[in-house]
Amino acid sequence: MEVKAKRDGQGEYYLDIGPVTLSLSAQVIKALHTVIDQRLNQYSEQEAAALDKKYQAYKVLATKMCGVDDRIIQKFAPQVSPEQLVTIVRLAEGDVLLQKVLKNLSRQNRRQFEDDYAAMDKITVQHACLYMEQLVPMIKKAAQEQRELQQNV
């Protein structure tokens, strides 16, 4: 069902819901906005538990990236967005991945990463999960390259 909201020349608010048109006052629009905002930002306990489970799994995955060879980090870091790189470094336990990323970036990229890392100090769990979901294919590729390196040694 399509919902449209519009305002006429006299300041009246109209809400079109399919074949029905409602005329609403400004107070009702504000209350409706508040209710919709609350509902959209409200999580059930199941959703919160699922998000936390995902978050914990991504933390483990990020920590495993600490064991990846420097050559793979050199290829991996420039391929991902700054948000994704900051997220994976922040999720990893300790400073091992941070130091590894800093060591394997060029001087200019290192300065940019340090700025991004400082600026993005408050990433939400939802954003962290979103960025990590986007990173999973690249992490799998990096893991495959790591296995190949270990087999060739």
Side-chain angles (χ1 to χ4, degrees), residues 10-80:
Q10 290 119 0
E12 291 286 322
Y13 293 94
Y14 292 95
L15 191 61
D16 293 332
I17 305 171
V20 178
T21 300
L22 302 171
S23 175
L24 305 171
S25 69
Q27 293 170 330
V28 172
I29 294 293
K30 287 179 186 176
L32 185 60
H33 180 271
T34 303
V35 168
I36 290 172
D37 188 50
Q38 287 174 348
R39 294 282 170 93
L40 288 175
N41 293 320
Q42 183 180 31
Y43 288 102
S44 70
E45 288 182 29
Q46 289 177 324
E47 289 171 325
L51 187 65
D52 187 54
K53 185 177 177 182
K54 245 189 205 182
Y55 179 73
Q56 295 305 323
Y58 288 139
K59 282 183 74 142
V60 169
L61 186 61
T63 303
K64 287 183 180 180
M65 284 294 289
C66 295
V68 172
D69 193 77
D70 286 351
R71 291 174 283 184
I72 295 170
I73 294 290
Q74 287 172 359
K75 286 173 54 178
F76 176 81
Q79 293 177 348
V80 301

Side-chain angles (χ1 to χ4, degrees), residues 116-147:
D116 293 338
Y117 188 82
M120 293 181 222
D121 63 337
K122 293 184 176 139
I123 297 174
T124 65
V125 172
Q126 291 87 354
H127 280 111
C129 288
L130 175 68
Y131 294 140
M132 289 300 291
E133 283 174 16
Q134 296 167 351
L135 275 174
V136 167
M138 289 184 237
I139 293 171
K140 285 182 180 179
K141 184 178 175 186
Q144 179 63 35
E145 291 176 15
Q146 179 69 25
R147 281 192 291 275

Side-chain angles (χ1 to χ4, degrees), residues 100-116:
K100 192 171 266 205
V101 167
L102 289 172
K103 180 172 75 171
N104 289 292
L105 289 174
S106 66
R107 256 186 246 137
Q108 182 179 359
N109 287 344
R110 184 179 316 127
R111 271 187 253 121
Q112 183 61 50
F113 174 75
E114 288 170 339
D115 292 344
D116 293 338

